[in-house]
Structure formats: C-alpha cells, structure tokens
Amino acid sequence: MADQPGNAAAAQPVAVAVEASSLSDQVATIRRALAGSPVRKWLLWTSVGIMAVIIATSIGQVLLNRWNQPFYDALARRDMAAFLHQLLVFAAIAGGLLVLNIGQTWLNQMIRLKLREALTLDLIDQWMRPARAFRLANAGAIGVNPDQRMQQDAAHLSDLSTDLGVGLLQSCILLVSFVGVLWELSSGFVFHIGGTSLAIPGYMVWAAILYAGIASWLSWLVGRPLIRLNSDRYTREAELRSSMVRVNENVDAIALYHGEADARRRLELDLGTVLGAMRRIYTAQINLSWVTDTYGWITVVAPILVASPVYFAGDISFGGLMMAVGAFNQVHSSLRWFINNIGSIADWRATLMRVADFRIALDETDVLHDTEKRIVFGENANGSMTFETLEVASPEGCTKLADQHVEIRAGERVMITGDRGAGKTLFFRAIAGLWPWGRGRIGLPAGETLIFVPRVPYFPAGTLREVLDHPNGAAPASDADISAVLAEVGLERLSSSLDRAGRWDHELGDDEQRSLAFARLALRQPKWVIIDEAMDAFDGPSLRRVLSMLEKRLPDAAILNIGRGLHNNQFFPRALTIVNDSGAPALKPARIRAGAIEPPPAGARRKT
C-alpha cells in the first residue's frame, strides 16, 4: 500500500460557513446517487413488484369492505345460512390478503437492504476518491464524523425512506380505491332538516377530507420542530461516539497521566448534550401526541357520527351503515398518513439532510476555494523536479522556499528544513497535490511515480505480506527479499509473520512502524521519494540502519527529506530552507452551502 500523507495537520483547517441546502437539492442528490448505483435495476423491479402487490391488496380491501354489508345484514336478519356463507367468503378474502401482506413485507425488507447498499457504496466511492477524504476533513463541520453519516445515517435513511415510501404509496392507492366507494355510498345520503331535504353529493368524502386536513395541519404546526431537533441529536450522538473512540485509542496515555477524571468529565459533558437533545425531542413528541392521540380517539366514533343522521332517518340499513363506516375509515386512514407519520417524516428530513449534505460536500470538495489561486502542476521532460516562485497559501499567510527557483535532478538527495511553524507539512502536502491553494508552479518528473512518506505511516488491516507488497503492477517481492529488507531495518523478528493477519499499527511500536514503512519503500524501488519528518523521531541506531538500507536499496533514487535537518549531511549533501511569510495574503475562508461552494463574485469565472 502506498504511503499517503497523515492526518496530523501542521496547517490549520480551512474555515467554512455551512448553510443547509434545500429539500429539492437533497432529493436530487440522492436521486443521482441511486441512478448511478449498480443495484438500480434491482431497486426498480422491486419497486414495481411492491406496487403490484399494493394494488392487489387494495382490490382485496375493497372486496372486504363490500363484504361488510351482506355480512351485517345477515346478522340483522338472523339468517344462519347467509351468515355461514359470508364467513367462507371472508376466509377466502382474508387468506389472499395474508399472502399479499407477507409478500409485501419481504419486498419491503429487500428494498431496505438494496437501498442501504446503494447509498453506502455510493458514499464510500465518493469519499475514497483521490484526496477527497483529506480535503473534506479540512472543510470544517461538514467533514466531522463521516463514519456516522455513511454507516448509521445511511442505514437509518434507507429504513425510513422504505417505510414512508411504501406507506405513502399504499395510502394513495387505497385512497383512490375507496374514494369512489365512499362517494357512491354517500350519494344517497339525504338530510331532513324540519320539512326540508338536503342532499350533499359525496358528503362523507368531503367530511373525511376536512377532518383529515385539519388534523394534518395541526400536526405539522406542532411537529415541525422535530426536524431540527433530530438533526441536532444526531450531531450530538456523533460527538459522543467520537469522544469515546478517542478515549479508547488513548487509554495508555490516559492511564499514564492519570487522566481518567478529565476523560470522564469530557464524556459526561458530551453525554449531557445528547441527553439534552433527547429531552427536547421528547418534549416535542409529547406535544405532538396531544394532537395525534386526540384525533385518534375522536376517529373511533367520527364516521358513525357523520353517517348517523342518515341511518336514523331510515335511508340506509345497518349493513349499509357499517359499509359506509368501513369506507370512511379507509379514506380517512389514507388521508391521515401524514398525521400518523409526522414524527418519522421529521426524522427522515433530518437524516436526509445529513446524508445529502455530506454527499453534496463530497461532490463539491474538489472545487473548494475555487475562487482562490491554485498552484500550477506540470511535467518536466528532462526528468527533474522544479519549484518556480512557489507560495503555498494558508489561513496564516504563505509557506515558500527561500530560493525562488529550485531544480532537483534525478538521484539527488536534498534536505529541506525550516523553523517550527514554518509550514513543512503544508509544503509536503502541496507537492503531493493535497493542498493546491497558492501560486507558482511545481514541475514533476515526466513519467515518474512519486512516493510520499508521511510522519505517521498507514498500514491496512491484513497480513504483513499484504502490507509490504503494494499492488502497483510489479511482481510481488520474494520471501528472501522481504526478510533481507526487514533485517536491514532491525525487524528480522517479523520474517516469520509474513502470512499472519494483524493490526500492525497496534502491534508495533512507533519506531518499528516507521522502520516498517521504510522497508516497504525499499521493496517498491521508487525513483522519487518525498519524506515528511518521518526520520526526525528515529533514535540514533534506527536512523543509521534506515539510511544504510536506503543507500543500499535505492542508490539512484532522488530523496527529498522535509524535517528538522538533524540527519547525516553526507547522505543529504544539499539543503533548502522553508520560510513562512505571515505578511502575505492569507487563504480566505470558503463559504459553503452544505458542502457546495457559493457562486464566485460577479465577473469571476468558476472552474469546473
């Protein structure tokens, strides 16, 4: 695995102002993510299947509603034969609905599964584009806790979207199915007021719409704050989990410094913010329950109250009344879908905002600070590396070489030094292309692959052989070569563990990890190497072993070592100096709308 720059930043993260995106932007972002997913066809056909099942279920519900009239009329007449016949009819209808309900449940679960797969794979793909994760981590609040947005939030959004989407589709189809039935049943309703008869076409349809409309409006007024409260809770939960992970990763240092009390206070503060957010959510949910539960109890008698004047006038039978009540309940149940799901809708909006805004940020992170000047990268046909009037911009000023024009030829070994705070790591990231903001030109050797060695090495989980054999197209190193290189850096004990899987960043000490990183470097045989302070932490014997190994294994490689300059001058005969110009124009904070950069000033042309 190629070494990549570590996350320990010498430069300050770029300040950003994040504003919430619109609902239409969020929905469009998720739609684009699903449109490019490899499981999109599966999702499409599953959606078609569940729609067919819901339509069939609605037909069964209509048949079940029609069954009410002959069944209750048979009861009213005390007709045993008709009663038993209607029970057989009910068994047939209920059996068919049972099969359809089980099929709908299975399709619902499959849609959840595939939707989560599509969303999570898309977010991982976008996050793992070259240098995006690094740039997003330096983009302010939107880049905090990306693990929660990709794992927990994406899963929650998949579940909520499936449940709400299927429920809304089912309600719409049932509404279409029963509006006609209820309109037909209420068409004969005549109100007798004094000596006057009043007929209202579709009377019960209008009553159901009015009843559900008022309930939905009140529920939205009371439940709308849940969107913001749920989003705040997820942020607080992420902060608590991040604090717990940080404590777990530093338990040795905490124990040595007797920092348990301070760590506990930090965790208790984070837990307090989570509990406060949950308390505000529960208060809002209780307020919402006053509305929804009140309407729930009224609904028990509302359809009978609506139809009772016609029943007591003798215009419909008892069976007709129960059929009308059933149709009213179906129409009202469809119309009150919003009321029943206001809490879930608020949760869905909050989760959609977190996932969509994160993906928008991933899309736009490559053009972050596009209104700022960028360093120009090019290739040198003569195989050298050049720095022409290079200035690396940061919020504190600019980092640059003391010399305006620098050329480093193939095979040279150069020590690049600078005072503390001069921006050595920032300069390293600029060469790697991770920090492109500034001015000037970096010329790279044409046709060559540069290998970057950060201060903190990265080792993927897996066997030691997988850690050392980078899949760069070259033939894997032999066991003899690996053992020889490990011995040269003082890690000969690992030669017997090549095929053992482990967390090498946990099993090895800091000095051993750095030695292993240089052993991996030697096995790759690069022509150009750029090192960021990775040698500064070596003790004397370890440093001598690494320099000797590089002398033997990479005799013709160009090596640029950025650090404090405390190394062997014979190995690095050339020296360059990094300086920080705090008086130079600083990098301006970007203004981001949920990760998307705002339009540049009038007259400026946005790059794409």
Side-chain angles (χ1 to χ4, degrees):
M1 180 65 66
D3 290 309
Q4 297 295 333
N7 287 333
Q12 295 294 324
V14 181
V16 293
V18 180
E19 302 174 13
S21 59
S22 66
L23 175 60
S24 61
D25 289 340
Q26 295 163 10
V27 172
T29 297
I30 299 300
R31 186 175 63 247
R32 287 195 300 272
L34 296 179
S37 171
V39 300
R40 62 186 182 279
K41 291 184 179 179
W42 204 100
L43 279 172
L44 176 62
W45 285 112
T46 307
S47 301
V48 171
I50 203 167
M51 181 179 294
V53 169
I54 290 174
I55 292 174
T57 302
S58 299
I59 295 173
Q61 293 284 1
V62 172
L63 294 175
L64 186 62
N65 179 259
R66 291 179 179 175
W67 169 85
N68 280 317
Q69 183 171 7
F71 177 74
Y72 285 107
D73 282 344
L75 282 175
R77 296 193 310 268
R78 295 181 173 82
D79 186 342
M80 178 60 71
F83 173 75
L84 294 176
H85 174 71
Q86 292 303 320
L87 286 180
L88 293 176
V89 173
F90 172 80
I93 297 174
L97 288 174
L98 175 62
V99 173
L100 290 171
N101 287 339
I102 293 175
Q104 181 176 328
T105 300
W106 182 83
L107 289 170
N108 185 299
Q109 292 172 343
M110 290 301 102
I111 291 177
R112 283 189 186 192
L113 183 68
K114 290 299 181 179
L115 187 57
R116 180 180 182 183
E117 179 183 354
L119 283 177
T120 307
L121 285 177
D122 175 77
L123 291 175
I124 291 174
D125 175 68
Q126 295 292 323
W127 190 48
M128 287 290 98
R129 298 287 176 90
R132 272 192 179 179
F134 167 79
R135 292 175 183 171
L136 186 69
N138 287 279
I142 194 67
V144 175
N145 299 315
D147 54 310
Q148 185 190 41
R149 296 183 188 250
M150 289 186 289
Q151 184 262 330
Q152 182 176 324
D153 291 345
H156 196 43
L157 179 62
S158 301
D159 291 346
L160 288 173
S161 298
T162 302
D163 290 343
L164 291 174
V166 171
L168 179 59
L169 176 63
Q170 191 165 20
S171 295
C172 290
I173 293 175
L174 282 174
L175 178 63
V176 172
S177 302
F178 278 94
V179 160
V181 175
L182 190 59
W183 186 283
E184 182 181 351
L185 287 172
S186 58
S187 62
F189 284 12
V190 179
F191 295 92
H192 303 283
I193 304 175
T196 305
S197 297
L198 177 64
I200 303 177
Y203 155 68
M204 293 194 72
V205 174
W206 301 118
I209 292 175
L210 179 63
Y211 181 72
I214 294 174
S216 298
W217 178 67
L218 288 176
S219 298
W220 174 246
L221 286 181
V222 177
R224 183 169 53 183
L226 282 169
I227 298 174
R228 174 181 52 80
L229 295 176
N230 276 310
S231 179
D232 180 65
R233 177 195 172 179
Y234 294 141
T235 300
R236 305 303 179 191
E237 293 277 12
E239 292 172 353
L240 174 61
R241 186 175 65 177
S242 178
S243 295
M244 289 179 172
V245 171
R246 191 181 307 115
V247 169
N248 184 58
E249 290 177 345
N250 296 277
V251 288
D252 51 348
I254 291 173
L256 290 172
Y257 283 97
H258 304 290
E260 289 86 355
D262 182 68
R264 183 178 64 251
R265 282 194 298 270
R266 179 69 262 176
L267 293 175
E268 288 172 350
L269 286 174
D270 288 339
L271 176 61
T273 62
V274 171
L275 296 178
M278 294 176 65
R279 192 175 296 112
R280 290 188 290 273
I281 289 175
Y282 294 157
T283 301
Q285 288 176 338
I286 290 173
N287 293 335
L288 180 61
S289 295
W290 279 106
V291 176
T292 56
D293 291 355
T294 298
Y295 269 87
W297 283 108
I298 295 175
T299 302
V300 174
V301 297
I304 297 177
L305 292 176
V306 170
S308 60
V310 183
Y311 174 73
F312 286 117
D315 292 334
I316 58 172
S317 65
F318 180 69
L321 173 65
M322 298 309 296
M323 185 177 176
V325 168
F328 181 95
N329 283 333
Q330 289 287 1
V331 171
H332 176 259
S333 176
S334 300
L335 290 172
R336 64 173 281 130
W337 173 87
F338 181 81
I339 306 168
N340 294 337
N341 293 282
I342 182 65
S344 297
I345 292 172
D347 194 7
W348 176 80
R349 282 285 288 112
T351 310
L352 174 67
M353 184 187 306
R354 287 179 58 81
V355 174
D357 284 358
F358 179 71
R359 195 186 188 282
I360 291 172
L362 289 172
D363 283 337
E364 296 293 334
T365 189
D366 293 336
V367 295
L368 183 63
H369 294 299
D370 243 0
T371 56
E372 296 290 337
K373 292 184 178 179
R374 286 175 174 250
I375 298 168
V376 176
F377 286 83
E379 290 190 346
N380 297 329
N382 64 356
S384 66
M385 175 181 289
T386 56
F387 302 102
E388 302 291 338
T389 62
L390 176 64
E391 295 181 357
V392 185
S394 74
E396 289 73 37
C398 79
T399 295
K400 59 185 180 180
L401 292 171
D403 300 322
Q404 290 280 310
H405 306 279
V406 174
E407 181 178 13
I408 300 173
R409 296 190 177 277
E412 278 197 85
R413 295 169 184 170
V414 182
M415 185 71 209
I416 304 177
T417 63
D419 295 335
R420 184 182 298 273
K424 295 186 289 294
T425 295
L426 188 65
F427 186 79
F428 172 77
R429 291 175 173 176
I431 301 174
L434 296 179
W435 192 274
W437 302 291
R439 55 180 59 85
R441 181 182 184 276
I442 297 178
L444 303 176
E448 296 291 347
T449 299
L450 278 66
I451 301 300
F452 296 88
V453 183
R455 289 179 294 175
V456 180
Y458 166 67
F459 302 121
T463 66
L464 187 60
R465 187 187 305 278
E466 292 171 340
V467 169
L468 292 172
D469 280 342
H470 188 275
N472 60 347
S478 66
D479 287 4
D481 286 340
I482 295 176
S483 298
V485 171
L486 290 175
E488 289 169 12
V489 296
L491 296 176
E492 56 270 12
R493 66 180 180 83
L494 297 179
S495 297
S496 60
S497 303
L498 295 182
D499 295 310
R500 181 172 65 84
R503 286 290 306 272
W504 303 103
D505 52 339
H506 288 180
E507 294 187 25
L508 302 178
D510 293 343
D511 210 50
E512 291 177 318
Q513 290 184 47
R514 285 186 288 270
S515 297
L516 186 63
F518 278 99
R520 175 172 59 186
L521 176 69
L523 290 170
R524 291 195 62 184
Q525 295 290 305
K527 296 297 184 182
W528 286 84
V529 180
I530 295 89
I531 304 170
D532 177 31
E533 300 185 329
M535 291 185 176
D536 290 347
F538 277 129
D539 58 22
S542 297
L543 179 59
R544 285 192 292 271
R545 282 195 295 267
V546 168
L547 292 178
S548 175
M549 184 269 295
L550 293 177
E551 184 74 55
K552 176 182 177 181
R553 299 280 175 174
L554 304 177
D556 300 321
I559 302 177
L560 283 67
N561 182 33
I562 303 172
R564 294 196 300 267
L566 304 178
H567 311 315
N568 191 326
N569 291 333
Q570 294 180 346
F571 191 88
F572 295 104
R574 184 179 178 185
L576 298 173
T577 304
I578 293 175
V579 297
N580 182 273
D581 186 358
S582 58
L587 182 66
K588 298 177 182 178
R591 295 190 58 81
I592 295 180
R593 189 178 300 278
I597 193 164
E598 289 185 349
R605 184 169 180 264
R606 177 173 172 173
K607 300 177 184 177
T608 57

